[in-house]
Amino acid sequence: MALIALRRSFPPPSSFRGSGALAAAARNHQPANPGPAVPLDSRHLWLCSLLQRGPSRVRFHHALCKKFHSENGKDLQPAGERVLSPVRNWDALKRDLKKENEKAFCRRLNSCTSSEELLGVVNTLETLPDTLAAAALQRICEVERRPSDQRLPKEILEHSAFQALCFRFERAPSDLSNAALVTGLRALILLHVDPQSRLIINLVAECHNRLRRGGLESHNLCILGESLIRLQGAACMMLELILCQLRGKKLETFTPEDTVAIYRILQACPEKADQHQTFLNAINNFAPSIVSHLSPKSISQILTALVVLDQTQAMPLVIKLGKSVVRYIPYFTNEELRKVLEAFIYFGHYDRFFMRALEQHIASLCLTLDPAVTSTVMEYCSKKLILSKPILNAVAENFVCQSEKFSPTQIAELIEPFGKLNYLPPNATALFTKLENVLSTRFSSFPPKTLLRLLHSCSLIECHPVNFMARLFSPIFLQQLQGGQLYLDRLSLARLTQLFMTSVLECPFYKGPKLLPRYQVKSFLTPCCSLETPMDFPLYKSVMMGLIDLLGSRLYFASKVLTPYCYTIDVEIKLDEEGFALPFTADEEVHKRVALCIDGPKRFCSDSKHLLGKEAIKQRHLQLLGYQVVQVPCHDVEMLKSRLEVVEYLQRKIFAQNSAIKW
């Protein structure tokens, strides 16, 4: 259906011609005199969402599509038909006709599934306003979705309708509306038109002129800012002027899409975050009010920008976004979900409703999980110490079925949480058999430190990597582990030492090379990189008072005792052969040593009574070294209401094997 141009004494609306008139105009380079056009919403350019959706006041009948003519240049009526309305109603009729035609064109654009089909639609039209021309270019972008380094096919670039569209924007950019100007520029940039072409240069120059005059609205500023970043990078000189003008706008005028675009613009230049922090603070305070209107993609983009811009003070916004994420988890793409999880890891955000929804989502995918998402989900559980059995079980099944899809780093990120969280899945045998096969065939492809972390985490849950210990303790591997540094980092040395202790205490059948003394540490408890969790002081204080009452003096127990085996015992009590406590300074007549493990909340998985892997291996090794290990967990002590109850509890714990001893 061709668009109708109603001719009156005033200039015609902005338009350009299709296959006939458009091509002729492109050949002759004759400038047109386009008038103002209706701005187009960039959120749904092909849907023309700025057009009113209500019914027109005049129904668009076929009879109105006939040729119009005017005898005196003012009175307008269809040939051979009676006048439909007075002259004062022609403006309304013209607007209705224009809206109907634009809606019809938008519907045709939206129905196109290829650039050729789309250009064919454009080629059939006699007139096209500049805003709809920009919409056509934008729709080509949506249909093509080509990689960032791939240009349009030659047949599209040389298509007469496409060249006419480009010429329409090149010949008179000053006549374009603001919406058409910035939308057309964005579309042409996304279509990888040569940045040095006269078309792009003219459009950028016109945008610069309007920007200096301050005539661009908030939405157009956002579109222009993102387009210039894509075209010229974050160092673009106009970007600062755009941000300056955006700062001067009222926050209430920003749509949700504008707010997201501002975050993306600022994300492109994180080095200027401090310079724009006041503006960022205002946006961070405003953004929670529009969270309910954001799409999953927009939520993911805002969270990513907050991470890049290091907005740790924007926790109210992060929490609000986190609550909104819960209902969108099934609708995120793999990349979007990964970005959300990375942001939650960065900000330390945890929500039980989010975890419940994530568990359902991961369990439903199970065997089709994306490796990148899988490793990020496991990293989130590991960082937050979340023992989520549905997630861990699904991930274990996924790895057994498609281990070849995982990179060495992703394999380590997938396996480490099992050791850290001290959890063996139901298919543990199949999981670690598959892991052993992967390591046997791809051992050299694993970075040395990644491999050490992986095998150490296996030992935490008694899945000892005996077949690989000889390689770990070999001088060649230790040299690779050290790299170009003068010394190995302390955490790597601690892991090597604990693996060596595991080979001695839990794998007596291992007869391979030993770890050289110079690679062994003296203590696993260090301030910066520790294989033990420091003692919780408030909990220790409660237990200490109970021990004084129980044993009669502070002399009968020692605190923070470093053993010859690298472990630090929270409280050590020495007993003689009859089961009585000896002074902690005694070295003779010591028949038994009691290692009291005062386990605070940080030694357990989050919201759980499940001990972490590094604490489990410590207690296991102390028992093998001859200590009587007595665990005093925080959740037990918190239930005791008086000092007397604490004393009775400690007596039952410490002297349970000798009922004759009474306090």
Side-chain angles (χ1 to χ4, degrees):
M1 179 173 61
L3 294 178
I4 306 300
L6 300 181
R7 298 176 177 83
R8 297 193 59 184
S9 58
F10 47 82
S14 174
S15 63
F16 68 87
R17 304 223 170 248
S19 56
L22 240 176
R27 288 193 301 269
N28 298 332
H29 291 259
Q30 295 175 355
N33 183 26
V38 181
L40 195 64
D41 189 344
S42 66
R43 288 172 291 175
H44 301 288
L45 290 170
W46 61 92
L47 294 177
C48 297
S49 58
L50 286 185
L51 300 175
Q52 297 182 5
R53 299 189 178 274
S56 302
R57 284 178 288 176
V58 178
R59 185 175 297 275
F60 189 62
H61 292 291
H62 179 70
L64 297 179
C65 296
K66 298 180 181 180
K67 182 178 179 181
F68 284 83
H69 65 84
S70 173
E71 296 179 356
N72 56 9
K74 295 181 180 180
D75 298 330
L76 188 66
Q77 69 180 51
E81 298 286 343
R82 63 183 179 84
V83 179
L84 295 178
S85 59
V87 174
R88 64 177 179 271
N89 290 331
W90 277 110
D91 285 340
L93 177 59
K94 177 183 173 182
R95 287 194 299 269
D96 291 338
L97 288 171
K98 182 177 178 182
K99 282 190 292 184
E100 289 295 337
N101 283 305
E102 289 183 348
K103 287 181 180 180
F105 179 71
C106 288
R107 286 194 295 270
R108 294 182 69 184
L109 281 183
N110 193 36
S111 65
C112 294
T113 57
S114 68
S115 296
E116 292 80 1
E117 182 183 359
L118 210 152
L119 291 172
V121 171
V122 173
N123 223 9
T124 62
L125 302 177
E126 290 189 4
T127 59
L128 192 64
D130 56 359
T131 304
L132 295 185
L137 287 173
Q138 182 66 23
R139 181 57 181 158
I140 294 175
C141 294
E142 296 294 332
V143 169
E144 286 297 325
R145 297 181 181 274
R146 308 186 77 78
S148 58
D149 58 344
Q150 188 174 351
R151 299 190 65 187
L152 286 172
K154 185 177 180 180
E155 58 269 20
I156 295 178
L157 291 172
E158 295 180 354
H159 196 287
S160 60
F162 184 78
Q163 291 182 347
L165 283 173
C166 293
F167 179 70
R168 171 72 180 85
F169 284 87
E170 179 184 340
R171 62 177 178 174
S174 59
D175 294 333
L176 298 171
S177 65
N178 289 341
L181 177 64
V182 298
T183 303
L185 176 61
R186 177 177 63 179
L188 291 167
I189 292 172
L190 291 173
L191 291 171
H192 312 299
V193 174
D194 182 8
Q196 302 303 320
S197 65
R198 191 173 71 173
L199 171 61
I200 297 296
I201 292 174
N202 288 353
L203 291 177
V204 171
E206 179 59 27
C207 287
H208 191 200
N209 292 335
R210 298 192 192 188
L211 190 61
R212 286 188 302 176
R213 293 197 299 265
L216 296 178
E217 301 82 4
S218 302
H219 185 63
N220 296 330
L221 286 171
C222 293
I223 295 176
L224 178 58
E226 290 197 275
S227 300
L228 292 175
I229 290 172
R230 185 179 293 271
L231 181 67
Q232 301 177 358
C236 173
M237 300 299 294
M238 294 169 60
L239 198 58
E240 193 62 35
L241 185 55
I242 290 173
L243 288 172
C244 181
Q245 292 190 18
L246 284 171
R247 285 199 302 268
K249 304 288 184 180
K250 292 183 179 180
L251 296 178
E252 294 75 16
T253 64
F254 294 150
T255 65
E257 289 73 18
D258 295 339
T259 306
V260 178
I262 291 171
Y263 276 113
R264 290 196 298 260
I265 292 171
L266 291 168
Q267 177 188 343
C269 45
E271 67 281 354
K272 297 181 181 180
D274 292 340
Q275 178 183 344
H276 299 289
Q277 190 57 57
T278 302
F279 182 45
L280 259 173
N281 291 339
I283 294 295
N284 291 340
N285 293 332
F286 169 74
S289 64
I290 52 97
V291 165
S292 59
H293 303 289
L294 296 177
S295 66
K297 181 178 180 180
S298 296
I299 291 174
S300 175
Q301 289 176 340
I302 290 182
L303 285 170
T304 302
L306 291 174
V307 171
V308 174
L309 296 169
D310 191 27
Q311 296 299 291
T312 52
Q313 73 280 9
M315 284 308 298
L317 174 57
V318 173
I319 294 171
K320 189 73 177 287
L321 290 168
K323 292 180 179 178
S324 185
V325 161
V326 174
R327 67 177 183 271
Y328 288 136
I329 284 183
Y331 308 104
F332 285 112
T333 64
N334 286 330
E335 182 65 14
E336 289 166 359
L337 180 58
R338 189 178 66 82
K339 292 291 187 182
V340 168
L341 289 168
E342 287 179 347
F344 286 174
I345 292 171
Y346 184 83
F347 290 108
H349 176 71
Y350 171 74
D351 185 301
R352 68 179 185 276
F353 299 107
F354 167 73
M355 276 308 303
R356 193 177 305 163
L358 185 63
E359 286 175 347
Q360 294 174 354
H361 181 62
I362 297 299
S364 65
L365 295 177
C366 192
L367 302 182
T368 60
L369 283 171
D370 178 73
V373 174
T374 302
S375 58
T376 308
V377 168
M378 292 298 281
E379 183 185 2
Y380 178 70
C381 291
S382 178
K383 293 280 188 181
K384 299 301 295 178
L385 302 180
I386 301 169
L387 180 60
S388 172
K389 294 182 181 180
I391 289 178
L392 295 175
N393 293 343
V395 168
E397 288 286 347
N398 180 257
F399 178 73
V400 170
C401 294
Q402 51 179 10
S403 58
E404 66 283 352
K405 294 184 178 180
F406 291 84
S407 68
T409 302
Q410 289 172 339
I411 292 174
E413 292 171 345
L414 184 149
I415 298 296
E416 283 183 63
F418 286 98
K420 186 174 184 178
L421 301 173
N422 188 25
Y423 179 72
L424 282 172
N427 67 335
T429 302
L431 173 66
F432 288 98
T433 300
K434 177 65 72 172
L435 177 62
E436 184 175 2
N437 293 336
V438 170
L439 289 174
S440 298
T441 56
R442 301 166 59 185
F443 189 89
S444 59
S445 64
F446 282 78
K449 289 190 177 181
T450 300
L451 184 63
L452 176 59
R453 293 199 320 267
L454 171 60
L455 296 179
H456 175 262
S457 64
C458 292
S459 71
L460 298 180
I461 46 177
E462 300 184 80
C463 296
H464 307 301
V466 181
N467 294 340
F468 303 100
M469 284 183 177
R471 297 191 190 185
L472 289 181
F473 301 150
S474 68
I476 296 176
F477 180 80
L478 294 173
Q479 187 177 4
Q480 292 174 347
L481 194 63
Q482 186 171 332
Q485 300 176 350
L486 294 177
Y487 303 99
L488 262 176
D489 63 282
R490 186 170 180 82
L491 186 56
S492 295
L493 291 174
R495 287 182 174 132
L496 284 168
T497 305
Q498 195 166 52
L499 276 169
F500 173 65
M501 287 188 62
T502 298
S503 69
V504 173
L505 295 174
E506 300 188 71
C507 308
F509 49 85
Y510 171 72
K511 304 302 180 182
K514 307 296 183 183
L515 183 67
L516 296 176
R518 65 192 182 98
Y519 291 106
Q520 298 179 26
V521 297
K522 301 297 183 182
S523 173
F524 292 139
L525 183 63
T526 53
C528 57
C529 44
S530 179
L531 294 185
E532 297 183 65
T533 307
M535 190 165 46
D536 183 80
F537 183 75
L539 180 62
Y540 165 72
K541 190 174 180 181
S542 299
V543 174
M544 182 185 68
M545 299 304 294
L547 284 174
I548 292 174
D549 290 344
L550 175 64
L551 301 177
S553 172
R554 179 69 177 79
L555 180 65
Y556 292 102
F557 65 92
S559 304
K560 299 181 181 178
V561 179
L562 176 62
T563 69
Y565 314 103
C566 307
Y567 290 108
T568 299
I569 299 175
D570 297 332
V571 172
E572 183 185 40
I573 302 173
K574 299 176 182 178
L575 302 178
D576 63 15
E577 192 171 358
E578 296 180 1
F580 291 99
L582 297 172
F584 70 83
T585 55
D587 291 325
E588 299 178 356
E589 300 181 357
V590 178
H591 178 71
K592 183 180 292 186
R593 295 174 186 267
V594 178
L596 213 62
C597 295
I598 304 174
D599 296 327
K602 292 185 178 180
R603 295 184 179 179
F604 297 91
C605 295
S606 180
D607 299 329
S608 168
K609 297 180 181 180
H610 192 82
L611 207 61
L612 293 175
K614 62 181 179 180
E615 301 303 326
I617 193 175
K618 172 183 176 179
Q619 295 186 16
R620 198 165 66 241
H621 282 183
L622 288 175
Q623 285 180 338
L624 292 171
L625 290 167
Y627 286 88
Q628 176 188 333
V629 177
V630 175
Q631 186 183 7
V632 182
C634 57
H635 45 265
D636 280 358
V637 179
E638 289 171 354
M639 298 296 292
L640 306 175
K641 299 179 180 179
S642 66
R643 189 164 171 175
L644 178 60
E645 289 185 2
V646 173
V647 173
E648 293 175 345
Y649 169 81
L650 291 173
Q651 184 189 16
R652 290 194 303 271
K653 280 280 188 176
I654 298 171
F655 301 107
Q657 297 178 357
N658 192 348
S659 58
I661 301 295
K662 300 292 183 182
W663 172 64

